Amino acid sequence: MSTRPDARTEILRRVRAAMPTAPVPVPRDYASDDGPPGAEVVDLLVDRLEDYKATVRRCTAADLPATVGALLADVPSLVLPPGVPSSWSSSFAGSRAIDGDPAPLTVTALDAPGVAVVTGCAVAVAQTGTIILDAGPDQGRRLLTLVPDHHVCVVRVDQVVERLPAALRRLADPTRPLTMISGPSATSDIELNRVEGVHGPRRLEVVVVD
Amino acid sequence: MTGTGNIVTRLPFPTAARRELGDEQLRRNLRKATHTIRDKRLRVVGEVSDWEQLRVAGAAIKDDVQARLPSLLEQFEAAATAAGATVHWARDAEEACAVVADLVRATGTAEVVKVKSMATQEIGLNEALEAVGINAVETDLAELIVQLADDTPSHILVPAIHYNRTQIRDIFASRMADVDATTLTDDPPALAEAARRHLRSRFLSTKVGISGANFAIAATGTLAVVESEGNGRMCLTLPETLISVVGIEKLLPTFADLEVFLQLLPRSSTGERMNPYTSLWTGVTPGDGPQTVHIVLVDNGRTDTLADPVGRQALRCIRCSACLNVCPVYERVGGHAYGSVYPGPIGAILSPQMSGEGANRTLPYASTLCGACFDACPVRIDIPQVLVHLRQSGVDAARSRPSAERTAMRTMSYVMRDRRRYAAALRAARRGAAPLRLAAGGRGTLRRLPWPLSAWTSTRDAPLPPKQTFREWWAREHSS
């Protein structure tokens, strides 16, 4: 390869040589702003989450520990990102481990049978039933919501927006690791029908807190 | 520069199509799958009141990227580098494979896990890694099926679309060492479960992940992978080293531009409002995910395509495969007939432009020009326009050589230029056709003509001249 000019120089030269035109104006006539926030937006989120086979519970802030506790009734061990308030899982009776306290949790520990994880989220999109995690303190490292087979995600109603454009604008820093989740792991690879449950968590439970 | 790798067709399309058309099971499988996805797509696209505005914006953003590609590439490189990634460049498939193979070898590992990626299929990465003793494990369910079956992909989104559930069950039963063939059923959840168990330990232990990217954000150096199963998240999160192979046309100027494409792509590809998982990462994040991150920017025929003012719109493609699913030709012949890893209508314009090679010149004719692909395309690529343009370029390129078709067209042109010549020719044709009409048993068409006209009748009937022309009918009706 040393006899050729370097690839970077040559590709950029060729792109410049082929360069089409002046910058193209982008008409942005699509709906980029949400309507006024309201109960129907939260209802839409619940409907769309359930349509893609997530389990949804709605509760008040006071009832959150009991609601989370009920969802974890058959779970022997719980893992938590460091920033999840301890009150969220105060009704949980099994063993619990906090990532990074004292040491980061290993993949093997997270892959053990019966492990569940409870996290918050950064923002949720009603129209598509999407939860966005941005590795904030109550969401933690990406593998925490990936390796355990059971993910309980707490969404406050003030984190729910109607459309994707509003959701992306809400993210504090787009360069943090981002994960968008719309229902549990699924595939359409067999005869193009959707089947839930492949490599990601097969149980996705969302608690919407009023 | 001219692209290489798995985009060059070995057989002319008509030859390959004839072979595929003989497989009735294939046609049944394709018909079922493409009709399922068509209906799903129409349903979820119908939910979006601003779909057309999103399409227009998506097309304009991609055109803007092409217009500003040099500076956006430099901006992306600078941002990704500042975030801790190492950016490499590759002119063609061989160079890209060599870059990746060197990076994998430097880690000392002999096995990598792969996220489904058209770019790595295009450059033939798996074969190149195998040649240097590195085992590349495909982790997407459909890619895994194809890999286990020693087959090649036949669809952009669902490479195993040509198999039905029973065939997939049989492939798993005979090729997956860790599956119990006596109990495995063809129930799709059972097949998904078998894939989960087969790959789990590899995800948790493999040191190097290889991916493509659906989008690359110039302003931030961010890459995005859109997927369903979670195999992508596994490969992007758990390995120590991540290598992403990205075509230079994948750039978007800013993070906010994702608001258009993340609405267009899932609805167009799997017919879902949103795919289960989308991952975005920017270089290295300490303590979270791979701590060594490489990005290989690949040309492989893209700059050649960019140089054609009509054909360059093919580079808007976001690999959703909606055009395949609505194409009457694809539905019948399947992806293998197109030879390239890019089949269907988009492949018929992308593969010839990227590779500029021999048998690929037949691909622009693999279409009825019905236009369903343009209607379905989320970034408004006028595929029929480019098909006609490429057909014309093919004819223009051969203009210096004698051609029977051109001689015939010249003669026709001479005859039709003059009304008397034209009427005389029609009368002569009718007299000549009279015995043929008898031979055809009274039908208005002929099934078979002698060479060289057999080239026409090998794929369609030849119409016989009518018993009277419109002019003659008019003259008779109005003479009295």
Side-chain angles (χ1 to χ4, degrees):
Chain A
M1 252 178 283
S2 55
T3 53
R4 304 166 82 181
D6 84 289
R8 181 184 188 278
T9 310
E10 195 176 339
I11 292 171
L12 286 174
R13 180 189 62 73
R14 292 184 57 98
V15 178
R16 283 201 184 89
M19 186 130 87
T21 48
V24 176
V26 177
R28 296 190 189 261
D29 305 326
Y30 55 86
S32 68
D33 288 318
D34 277 11
E40 57 282 12
V41 176
V42 179
D43 291 343
L44 183 64
L45 174 72
V46 173
D47 175 75
R48 296 291 157 89
L49 282 166
E50 288 179 335
D51 192 30
Y52 281 163
K53 306 293 190 294
T55 306
V56 184
R57 298 278 181 275
R58 298 186 70 164
C59 68
T60 62
D63 290 337
L64 179 60
T67 307
V68 171
L71 288 171
L72 299 174
D74 60 345
V75 169
S77 56
L78 183 64
V79 297
L80 296 163
V84 162
S86 55
S87 64
W88 289 8
S89 60
S90 57
S91 306
F92 174 71
S95 71
R96 79 190 65 207
I98 296 170
D99 188 42
D101 182 14
L105 296 169
T106 64
V107 169
T108 315
L110 293 169
D111 192 43
V115 173
V117 61
V118 175
T119 72
C121 75
V123 58
V125 190
Q127 206 181 50
T128 57
T130 303
I131 289 159
I132 305 182
L133 309 180
D134 71 351
D138 63 351
Q139 301 144 53
R141 299 187 291 154
R142 284 173 285 174
L143 81 176
L144 295 181
T145 52
L146 173 62
V147 180
D149 204 12
H150 182 180
H151 178 196
V152 177
C153 185
V154 176
V155 180
R156 296 190 320 265
V157 290
D158 64 15
Q159 293 178 309
V160 181
V161 299
E162 186 184 350
R163 293 165 181 276
L164 184 74
L168 296 185
R169 284 199 296 271
R170 278 234 198 162
L171 294 169
D173 177 2
T175 67
R176 296 217 298 236
L178 300 175
T179 306
M180 302 185 183
I181 299 173
S182 310
S185 160
T187 181
S188 300
D189 282 356
I190 302 167
E191 299 175 3
L192 277 168
N193 272 311
R194 184 171 161 124
V195 178
E196 276 76 21
V198 201
H199 304 293
R202 287 178 285 191
R203 276 172 76 183
L204 173 66
E205 294 172 324
V206 181
V207 183
V208 179
V209 187
D210 283 304
Chain B
M1 54 221 63
T2 301
T4 53
N6 295 332
I7 50 173
V8 183
T9 310
R10 284 181 298 274
L11 289 175
F13 180 81
T15 312
R18 189 164 295 120
R19 182 192 62 203
E20 300 296 319
L21 282 168
D23 186 343
E24 278 179 46
Q25 182 68 56
L26 172 78
R27 291 216 303 282
R28 266 199 300 276
N29 295 352
L30 283 171
R31 185 180 160 77
K32 183 170 179 212
T34 54
H35 283 253
T36 303
I37 194 72
R38 272 182 215 178
D39 297 345
K40 278 168 74 177
R41 190 190 78 86
L42 282 176
R43 216 160 40 234
V44 296
V45 165
E47 282 178 5
V48 183
S49 57
D50 55 345
W51 184 253
E52 195 53 33
Q53 288 90 331
L54 286 166
R55 285 179 83 208
V56 168
I61 292 168
K62 284 288 190 178
D63 287 350
D64 183 42
V65 166
Q66 290 174 18
R68 297 193 285 138
L69 197 50
S71 62
L72 290 175
L73 281 166
E74 286 173 328
Q75 195 187 4
F76 175 81
E77 181 187 40
T81 307
T86 309
V87 177
H88 311 260
W89 302 69
R91 280 165 282 217
D92 55 23
E94 286 74 29
E95 193 168 25
C97 288
V99 169
V100 176
D102 284 347
L103 291 171
V104 176
R105 266 199 299 236
T107 68
T109 191
E111 184 162 280
V112 298
V113 283
K114 279 190 67 203
V115 192
K116 177 177 156 33
S117 139
M118 289 312 298
T120 60
Q121 285 283 2
E122 172 193 320
I123 62 174
L125 183 62
N126 293 6
E127 300 89 320
L129 290 177
E130 199 185 323
V132 295
I134 297 161
N135 182 30
V137 179
E138 291 289 354
T139 65
D140 168 76
L141 179 53
E143 289 282 6
L144 178 68
I145 294 163
V146 166
Q147 192 176 44
L148 287 171
D150 279 327
D151 198 356
T152 54
S154 71
H155 188 274
I156 292 174
L157 176 75
V158 189
I161 194 172
H162 53 296
Y163 292 120
N164 65 22
R165 61 184 73 187
T166 309
Q167 294 169 311
I168 294 167
R169 183 255 161 220
D170 293 344
I171 292 165
F172 278 15
S174 62
R175 299 296 180 93
M176 256 186 201
D178 44 9
V179 79
D180 182 356
T182 55
T183 56
L184 184 67
T185 68
D186 66 0
D187 190 28
L191 297 171
E193 169 75 26
R196 179 182 169 100
R197 279 202 307 271
H198 178 70
L199 290 170
R200 192 83 184 164
S201 62
R202 285 184 152 134
F203 283 137
L204 303 188
S205 63
T206 306
K207 304 285 183 228
V208 178
I210 294 182
S211 81
N214 294 93
F215 307 105
I217 310 299
T220 55
T222 304
L223 294 182
V225 162
V226 174
E227 53 131 355
S228 293
E229 296 164 17
N231 64 307
R233 293 179 70 193
M234 290 280 180
C235 296
L236 301 171
T237 310
L238 299 182
E240 294 166 2
T241 300
L242 174 60
I243 304 166
S244 303
V245 180
V246 184
I248 54 172
E249 86 288 14
K250 291 284 169 192
L251 287 182
L252 297 179
T254 68
F255 182 77
D257 292 317
L258 287 170
E259 71 187 24
V260 175
F261 292 94
L262 288 180
Q263 296 194 69
L264 290 172
L265 178 54
R267 290 182 202 258
S268 300
S269 58
T270 51
E272 294 168 304
R273 295 186 192 103
M274 191 64 94
N275 51 294
Y277 300 128
T278 298
S279 297
L280 296 112
W281 73 99
T282 307
V284 174
T285 303
D288 186 351
Q291 296 298 296
T292 305
V293 170
H294 294 280
I295 301 166
V296 185
L297 293 173
V298 181
D299 179 344
N300 203 37
R302 287 162 176 78
T303 50
D304 269 1
T305 311
L306 192 64
D308 184 324
V310 178
R312 66 170 62 121
Q313 56 183 308
L315 294 177
R316 291 181 196 154
C317 176
I318 55 174
R319 312 286 190 260
C320 73
S321 64
C323 63
L324 280 61
N325 300 332
V326 298
C327 177
V329 176
Y330 178 87
E331 182 191 330
R332 283 159 184 85
V333 301
H336 289 151
Y338 296 81
S340 158
V341 294
Y342 300 114
I346 187 65
I349 62 171
L350 210 44
S351 311
Q353 294 199 90
M354 287 170 66
S355 76
E357 278 303 313
N360 276 7
R361 295 208 188 96
T362 60
L363 289 177
Y365 296 89
S367 168
T368 64
L369 302 178
C370 76
C373 47
F374 176 45
D375 289 343
C377 178
V379 285
R380 293 179 57 88
I381 302 170
D382 191 342
I383 295 175
Q385 183 200 13
V386 182
L387 287 167
V388 171
H389 168 70
L390 294 176
R391 291 179 188 186
Q392 189 189 340
S393 318
V395 171
D396 285 346
R399 222 169 258 292
S400 55
R401 292 199 300 272
S403 139
E405 184 184 36
R406 205 162 43 249
T407 308
M409 288 297 172
R410 283 220 184 91
T411 312
M412 286 283 276
S413 158
Y414 168 77
V415 170
M416 293 174 82
R417 236 175 339 217
D418 178 278
R419 189 158 71 81
R420 272 166 309 186
R421 277 205 293 269
Y422 181 58
L426 279 178
R427 279 194 301 275
R430 195 160 62 235
R431 276 197 297 278
L436 290 175
R437 190 179 296 280
L438 276 178
R443 280 193 323 270
T445 56
L446 278 181
R447 295 265 162 82
R448 226 171 269 116
L449 288 172
W451 187 89
L453 298 171
S454 56
W456 172 278
T457 53
S458 69
T459 50
R460 41 191 147 9
D461 292 349
L464 287 167
K467 286 179 184 148
Q468 62 178 340
T469 67
F470 176 75
R471 282 172 186 283
E472 288 162 349
W473 173 84
W474 183 269
R476 210 185 59 220
E477 289 292 306
H478 294 266
S479 58
S480 49

